Amino acid sequence: MARPRFLPDNMTLLLLAVVVTASLLPCTGQVAEVFDGLTTFMIGLLFFMHGAKLSREAVVAGFTHWKLHVTVLLCTFALFPLVGLAFKPLLTPFITPELYLGLLFLCVLPSTVQSSIAFTSVARGNVPAAICAASASNLLGIFLTPLLVGVLVVAHEGAGHSSLDSILKIVYQLLLPFVAGQIARPWIGRWIERNKSWLKFVDQSSILLVVYVAFSEAVVQGLWHQVPMSMLVALLVINAVLLALIMALTTYGSRRLGFSKEDEITIVFCGSKKSLASGVPMAKVLFSSGAIGMVLLPVMLFHQLQLMVCAVLAARYGARQEEVEAAVASESGGD
């Protein structure tokens, strides 16, 4: 039996289950301390696996199509943050400053990898370029996202964060494990490729654990008293408007810049998406434990929205490409 198109994916269902569990049975006291230490270890392991999985050959090969990659990176790390900042006067009556902080954090995250490539493939876009663009976005995101958080998010929050402390956390919790994974890739890369079907559970369990600990802390501090259902609905609408605007800008912008239809598809799917897999561990490193729950709410909502919308859009792109190919084949046969 085929899975209904609009049914949330398994990861989203697990995230919802974890949020419900944290709301009903939050971890506190010594248990919370143990879980917090475990999440730090799991985040290091997650980025070690990212480093070991990333093919340097694919990234180097992708530089030949530099115009497309620059466009995707500008959409991800410039267009998104600018739109997020421009939204502020319109959003303050509907959501709390903490949720707007989460929206800004969403805007500075890198693109997804697996789903961007998968949707580009379904839509019959430039898959090799998508592999390179998504990989480059995640690689640069390790440096650019914390930098943009320091420039935009922390400045907005106005909290007394230490820049040096944030840099050190990024280095030893994210960057060093990632570099170690890249160094170890010649020895363990093939093993990872052979076992990636079950190694993905390392990624997922890391994300679920961080979300559980973050929402436990937020619930203890009164999260659901601060965010009523009406505000959640408003946040969902805001995310939908943000996604629609970015997808429209990437679509028509790529056409104005003269990209082919295949490249347009790649830009749309790589330039309009944000990575939950990168966002959750980065939030754990960059924000105080009490703020993570609020910060992650916009990211989690946007994650599900982008999957549903991109699934429909990819199918439509693919159908159009098939029609074009059929028309070309028919004309060739007539000649």
Side-chain angles (χ1 to χ4, degrees):
M1 181 177 177
R3 187 188 186 95
R5 179 180 295 176
F6 291 103
L7 183 68
D9 65 307
N10 291 336
M11 186 60 181
T12 299
L13 293 175
L14 287 172
L15 284 169
L16 290 174
V18 167
V19 171
V20 171
T21 303
S23 301
L24 299 176
L25 298 170
C27 63
T28 57
Q30 291 185 343
V31 174
E33 292 179 7
V34 172
F35 273 45
D36 188 61
L38 182 59
T39 57
T40 299
F41 168 77
M42 291 298 289
I43 287 170
L45 179 60
L46 176 65
F47 274 80
F48 174 83
M49 299 297 292
H50 282 333
K53 287 187 291 185
L54 181 61
S55 170
R56 281 167 282 182
E57 293 80 6
V59 175
V60 171
F63 287 141
T64 57
H65 205 346
W66 64 269
K67 185 179 177 182
L68 182 147
H69 301 311
V70 169
T71 302
V72 170
L73 291 174
L74 287 175
C75 290
T76 304
F77 296 113
L79 179 61
F80 252 108
L82 289 174
V83 171
L85 289 172
F87 269 21
K88 183 179 180 181
L90 302 174
L91 302 184
T92 47
F94 303 103
I95 59 175
T96 65
E98 292 78 12
L99 286 178
Y100 177 69
L101 176 67
L103 191 71
L104 276 183
F105 177 63
L106 162 70
C107 289
V108 301
L109 288 176
S111 177
T112 61
V113 177
Q114 289 92 342
S115 58
S116 291
I117 297 167
F119 286 130
T120 300
S121 177
V122 170
R124 295 176 174 265
N126 188 338
V127 175
I131 294 172
C132 300
S135 300
S137 176
N138 267 253
L139 177 61
L140 292 174
I142 296 176
F143 307 95
L144 291 179
T145 294
L147 176 63
L148 290 170
V149 166
V151 173
L152 302 178
V153 177
V154 173
H156 166 80
E157 187 181 22
H161 292 272
S162 166
S163 299
L164 179 59
D165 184 58
S166 297
I167 292 171
L168 290 176
K169 283 184 176 181
I170 289 295
V171 168
Y172 74 77
Q173 290 191 35
L174 304 184
L175 183 58
L176 286 182
F178 180 87
V179 172
Q182 279 280 284
I183 294 172
R185 179 175 170 78
W187 295 279
I188 66 174
R190 292 183 179 178
W191 179 82
I192 287 177
E193 288 296 322
R194 290 196 303 268
N195 296 278
K196 61 183 179 181
S197 59
W198 67 265
L199 284 174
K200 68 179 181 180
F201 294 112
V202 175
D203 293 4
Q204 294 177 350
S205 60
S206 301
I207 294 169
L208 294 172
L209 182 60
V210 174
V211 169
Y212 175 69
V213 174
F215 273 86
S216 292
E217 176 73 19
V219 168
V220 170
Q221 296 189 9
L223 171 67
W224 300 124
H225 296 291
Q226 302 172 43
V227 185
M229 182 59 65
S230 59
M231 193 171 294
L232 276 178
V233 172
L235 183 60
L236 184 62
V237 172
I238 290 165
N239 275 331
V241 172
L242 175 63
L243 179 61
L245 179 60
I246 294 295
M247 295 195 86
L249 290 173
T250 52
T251 300
Y252 295 107
S254 59
R255 292 175 185 175
R256 291 294 300 271
L257 291 172
F259 285 102
S260 66
K261 179 59 69 174
E262 290 78 11
D263 288 347
E264 173 195 319
I265 291 169
T266 302
I267 292 169
V268 169
F269 287 117
C270 294
S272 65
K273 303 182 77 230
K274 292 295 182 176
S275 174
L276 178 72
S278 296
V280 170
M282 283 187 177
K284 173 67 170 61
V285 174
L286 293 169
F287 297 96
S288 62
S289 58
I292 298 175
M294 284 282 200
V295 167
L296 288 179
L297 267 179
V299 181
M300 292 172 63
L301 289 175
F302 193 87
H303 168 75
Q304 180 56 35
L305 274 175
Q306 69 184 9
L307 291 180
M308 293 190 299
V309 172
C310 288
V312 175
L313 186 61
R316 290 183 178 178
Y317 264 126
R320 290 175 188 171
Q321 293 294 87
E322 287 179 1
E323 291 175 3
V324 171
E325 291 172 4
V328 170
S330 176
E331 291 177 2
S332 300
D335 293 339

